[in-house]
């Protein structure tokens, strides 16, 4: 009887995890569409257009939105991959040299404390001599900023995965006369996989937000973030909200992809 109750509770917890956010979202959209939200927040429809108006604008400007979305996605993917690889490499070096590893990771983690709005203009000015092509050097600058923030997240989590192994497991490997490479390949690397996906779950939305903020300051006028800024400046709030919705969908979509990849890789390990 207790087992059945436990299973029912587990199933309900799984359902409620998705059900409650869906109910809240539905109520929020209903209040938004019926303009109840406008009355509660004391804003007019010009500043906060209703959802149907936003959807209409997205449909009417689909070609332009896809062009800007493509630019943002490229920056996010390149910066995320480069930052994750560099972060894992730093974690490997810190694991190989433990005497200074934790101190080096502390310095790397300091980058997470730097605001994007402070770092992005510096990197953009720093990369002005990279190329005479404005589009290319703007893309490089945005990718570097995204890479920096993703590097810090990945290095800290990967280092934990590489070092926080069960003591008896490491002792068992030594009892089999395993060298450091075998211990890394058979023990430390598999142990770090779950930590890698934990880092990705943090880095994916961080990469999207960083790329969008960087586009505010970029030289080349392209990207979801730049379109949000341009439309707000020209008081085209409905179009700006359309790009904000696109940015939200991008972040949620990429986060779901990271969760799917985690389920695939971890399922194979079981």
């Amino acid at each position: 009887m207790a087992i059945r109750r436990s299973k029912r509770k587990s199933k309900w917890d799984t359902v409620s995890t998705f059900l409650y956010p869906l109910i809240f979202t539905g109520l929020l959209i209903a209040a938004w569409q019926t303009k109840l939200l406008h009355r509660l927040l004391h804003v007019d429809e010009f500043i906060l257009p209703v959802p149907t108006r936003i959807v209409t604008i997205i449909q009417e400007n689909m070609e332009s939105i896809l062009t800007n979305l493509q630019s943002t996605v490229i920056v996010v993917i390149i910066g995320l991959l480069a930052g994750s690889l560099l972060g894992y490499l730093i974690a490997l070096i810190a694991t190989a040299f433990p005497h200074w590893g934790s101190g080096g990771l502390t310095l790397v983690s300091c980058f997470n404390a730097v605001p994007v709005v402070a770092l992005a203009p510096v990197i953009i000015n720093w990369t002005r001599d990279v190329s005479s092509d404005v589009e290319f050097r703007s893309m490089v600058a945005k990718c570097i900023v995204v890479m920096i923030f993703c590097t810090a997240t990945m290095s800290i989590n990967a280092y934990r995965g590489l070092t926080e192994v069960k003591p008896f497991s490491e002792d068992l490997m030594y009892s089999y006369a395993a060298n450091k490479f075998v211990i890394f390949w058979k023990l430390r690397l598999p142990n770090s996989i779950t930590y890698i996906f934990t880092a990705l779950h943090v880095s994916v939305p961080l990469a999207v937000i960083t790329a969008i903020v960087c586009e505010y300051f970029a030289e080349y006028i392209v990207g979801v973030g730049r379109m949000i800024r341009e439309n707000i400046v020209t008081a085209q709030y409905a179009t700006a909200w359309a790009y904000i919705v696109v940015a939200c969908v991008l972040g949620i979509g990429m986060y779901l992809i990271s969760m799917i990849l985690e389920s695939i890789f971890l399922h194979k390990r079981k």
Side-chain angles (χ1 to χ4, degrees):
M1 194 70 178
I3 296 175
R4 289 181 180 178
R5 289 179 180 176
S6 178
K7 288 182 178 179
R8 289 176 183 175
K9 184 178 179 181
S10 178
K11 289 180 179 179
W12 172 247
D13 290 341
T14 304
V15 173
S16 62
T17 302
F18 298 95
L19 185 62
Y20 291 150
L22 287 176
I23 293 174
F24 176 78
T25 303
L27 293 174
L28 179 63
I29 293 175
W32 189 354
Q33 182 64 38
T34 57
K35 301 181 183 179
L36 175 61
L37 195 63
H38 296 74
R39 291 192 290 271
L40 292 174
L41 299 177
H42 302 289
V43 296
D44 54 34
E45 193 175 344
F46 177 71
I47 297 176
L48 183 62
V50 295
T52 51
R53 172 62 176 159
I54 295 174
V55 172
T56 302
I57 292 176
I58 293 175
Q59 293 174 346
E60 293 175 351
N61 299 276
M62 184 60 69
E63 185 176 353
S64 175
I65 289 174
L66 289 177
T67 301
N68 289 284
L69 180 62
Q70 180 182 1
S71 176
T72 303
V73 169
I74 292 173
V75 172
V76 171
I77 292 176
I78 293 176
L80 178 64
L81 292 178
S84 298
L85 291 174
L86 180 59
Y88 198 83
L89 178 61
I90 292 173
L92 288 176
I93 296 173
T95 304
F97 302 96
H99 293 292
W100 62 269
S102 58
L105 287 174
T106 302
L107 295 177
V108 173
S109 64
C110 291
F111 285 108
N112 273 344
V114 180
V116 183
V117 294
L119 185 63
V122 174
I123 299 298
I124 289 170
N125 288 323
W126 177 53
T127 55
R128 286 185 184 275
D129 297 329
V130 170
S131 173
S132 58
D133 186 357
V134 179
E135 181 180 3
F136 177 76
R137 70 172 182 249
S138 179
M139 183 73 70
V140 170
K142 291 183 286 187
C143 290
I144 290 175
V145 177
V146 174
M147 180 190 71
I148 289 173
F149 284 95
C150 293
T151 298
T153 304
M154 178 58 72
S155 61
I156 295 169
N157 283 277
Y159 179 76
R160 289 184 59 194
L162 291 169
T163 55
E164 293 183 3
V165 296
K166 295 179 180 179
F168 68 85
S169 300
E170 192 171 4
D171 292 339
L172 181 62
M173 296 292 289
Y174 280 121
S175 69
Y176 290 152
N179 56 35
K180 290 185 177 180
F181 177 77
V182 174
I183 293 175
F184 166 76
W185 187 256
K186 297 290 186 180
L187 181 61
R188 297 189 185 276
L189 181 61
N191 189 70
S192 68
I193 293 178
T194 54
Y195 291 85
I196 290 173
F197 282 106
T198 300
L200 287 176
H201 292 335
V202 177
S203 295
V204 166
L206 178 63
V208 174
I209 294 171
T210 303
I212 290 173
V213 174
C214 285
E215 289 168 348
Y216 277 55
F217 307 97
E219 296 179 83
Y220 195 69
I221 303 176
V222 69
V224 175
R226 191 54 181 259
M227 290 300 105
I228 294 173
R229 175 193 172 185
E230 294 296 320
N231 285 284
I232 289 176
V233 169
T234 57
Q236 301 293 326
Y237 295 112
T239 307
W241 272 102
Y243 278 100
I244 291 173
V245 171
V246 170
C248 293
V249 172
L250 173 61
I252 294 171
M254 294 196 67
Y255 183 79
L256 289 176
I257 291 173
S258 70
M259 291 185 65
I260 292 172
L261 291 175
E262 180 185 24
S263 64
I264 293 173
F265 278 93
L266 296 185
H267 177 72
K268 289 182 178 180
R269 291 186 63 198
K270 293 179 180 179

